[in-house]
Amino acid sequence: PATACNAQSTPKRTLLALSKANHTMSIVDPNTLKITSTIPVGVDPHELVASTDGKTAYVCIYGGGSFYEINVIDLVAKKPLRNIDTRPLYGPHDITFVNGKAWFTAEGSKAIGRYDPGTDKLDWSMGTGQDRTHMIYVTADGQKIYTTNISSGTVSILSSTLIQPGKMAPPDAKPREEWVHTIVPTARGSEGFDVSPNGRELWTAASEDGVITIIDLAANNSTTKIAAKVNGANRLKFTPDGKQVFIASLQTGELTIYDALSRKEIKRLKLGKGAAGILMDPIGSRAFVACSSDNYIAVIDLKTLTVTSRLDVGGTP
């Protein structure tokens, strides 16, 4: 997994990538694909995100759902800063940074959590009641949260709304935030997912039967299922223009590319023994795909849909 960020004393655009085997996070110059710094992280790092200002990175230490730590990395000083104890939320796995806060899934606790860097506290959490709440997407306004629940074969949609005080409330009572939880059935093994750039659709691929489920986000229901045969699907991402969808398979090592409008397969690339994390370069017309089983990251040209180079950041990227 990787993330893009901007930070002082680093190239203007910087690529961050994890090595699960080496327990490190690499800072990479995206122009030369050269590693400029390597920083130690905890055992079993899975996903990371950079803060909006590019000064800090947050790394989830997963442990198969049993660990309870998020590493905070200073990207300016290029060193570990501190560790966040997420207990009672166990198994932090995926993480995103929205509205100045880090939102993460806690698979071991069937929940979602939120960390506020300003107060250095976990300031909110909510359970999903679903098995293996794994990946997360938060809208830019922080009002909607989407997660995949792998073993339950569902997508959770959490929508925030304000509830006004009732007639019996004290005079100084303020509106309270309430989250409405909608569960949409998909297929068992639904893990990798993404929301289309226009916010209208959510696509998720199931590792067990290789089916892609498309959810209409206006109606909050499943509208289409595609027998895509993307068995072992691990991650799914839209291209920045929303025209194509990439699905990586940890089982087959294939990268399957779909046309988002016609919902037809365009191409399959055999990257190696197993493909996992996908990062789209928003301005560079390329994608980075972590070939975890092969110990390298493949760089894909979005125009030609070919592998142009490989990046080595350590074992199991």
Side-chain angles (χ1 to χ4, degrees):
T3 186
C5 72
N6 298 306
Q8 300 171 14
S9 75
T10 62
K12 186 177 180 181
R13 300 184 70 238
T14 301
L15 175 70
L16 306 179
L18 294 172
S19 165
K20 295 181 185 179
N22 296 21
H23 311 151
T24 56
M25 184 192 77
S26 292
I27 298 177
V28 182
D29 182 329
N31 297 317
T32 64
L33 296 183
K34 301 295 184 184
I35 296 173
T36 59
S37 296
T38 301
I39 301 166
V41 296
V43 176
D44 201 32
H46 269 245
E47 306 287 332
L48 76 142
V49 73
S51 58
T52 307
D53 61 12
K55 296 180 179 179
T56 310
Y58 299 87
V59 180
C60 286
I61 308 302
Y62 171 57
S66 64
F67 291 173
Y68 45 85
E69 186 176 280
I70 295 174
N71 297 164
V72 185
I73 308 297
D74 186 329
L75 294 175
V76 178
K78 300 178 183 177
K79 65 179 183 180
L81 191 60
R82 63 184 177 279
N83 296 330
I84 302 165
D85 188 328
T86 64
R87 288 177 293 185
L89 301 180
Y90 286 83
H93 180 268
D94 193 19
I95 189 164
T96 188
F97 199 88
V98 174
N99 282 347
K101 298 183 180 183
W103 310 64
F104 62 95
T105 54
E107 183 183 300
S109 299
K110 304 182 182 181
I112 301 162
R114 186 176 68 195
Y115 170 74
D116 184 351
T119 60
D120 190 26
K121 292 181 179 179
L122 299 178
D123 70 347
W124 175 87
S125 66
M126 177 157 287
T128 64
Q130 301 293 290
D131 293 329
R132 296 196 66 198
T133 299
H134 201 69
M135 305 300 293
I136 189 169
Y137 180 103
V138 179
T139 56
D141 59 6
Q143 297 301 295
K144 280 197 172 183
I145 304 169
Y146 305 104
T147 73
T148 41
N149 307 297
I150 299 175
S151 296
S152 292
T154 60
V155 166
S156 288
I157 301 175
L158 295 172
S159 303
S160 175
T161 185
L162 282 180
I163 303 297
Q164 299 298 325
K167 293 181 180 180
M168 301 299 291
D172 58 348
K174 298 179 180 179
R176 64 180 177 84
E177 184 181 45
E178 182 170 292
W179 290 84
V180 177
H181 185 194
T182 302
I183 299 173
V184 180
T186 53
R188 185 176 168 85
S190 294
E191 180 174 353
F193 83 97
D194 199 10
V195 174
S196 60
N198 62 17
R200 295 174 183 171
E201 294 181 341
L202 183 154
W203 287 46
T204 183
S207 60
E208 294 195 11
D209 63 8
V211 167
I212 294 173
T213 301
I214 302 174
I215 297 173
D216 180 336
L217 293 180
N220 282 357
N221 59 30
S222 171
T223 56
T224 304
K225 287 187 180 289
I226 303 171
K229 298 180 181 178
V230 287
N231 299 80
N234 181 259
R235 295 292 179 267
L236 181 152
K237 288 290 180 184
F238 277 89
T239 52
D241 61 10
K243 293 182 178 180
Q244 296 173 349
V245 180
F246 283 29
I247 306 106
S249 171
L250 196 58
Q251 177 180 311
T252 66
E254 291 179 324
L255 178 69
T256 303
I257 302 168
Y258 261 74
D259 181 279
L261 182 61
S262 69
R263 300 176 180 177
K264 300 294 184 182
E265 182 180 320
I266 298 172
K267 191 173 186 178
R268 289 199 183 211
L269 293 174
K270 181 66 174 178
L271 299 183
K273 295 188 292 291
I278 304 173
L279 174 72
M280 292 292 172
D281 184 342
I283 66 173
S285 295
R286 59 186 172 174
F288 297 92
V289 182
C291 301
S292 300
S293 303
D294 304 275
N295 300 319
Y296 68 83
I297 295 172
V299 184
I300 313 293
D301 186 306
L302 296 185
K303 295 178 181 178
T304 63
L305 301 181
T306 58
V307 178
T308 57
S309 56
R310 295 181 176 184
L311 171 62
D312 180 4
V313 296
T316 320

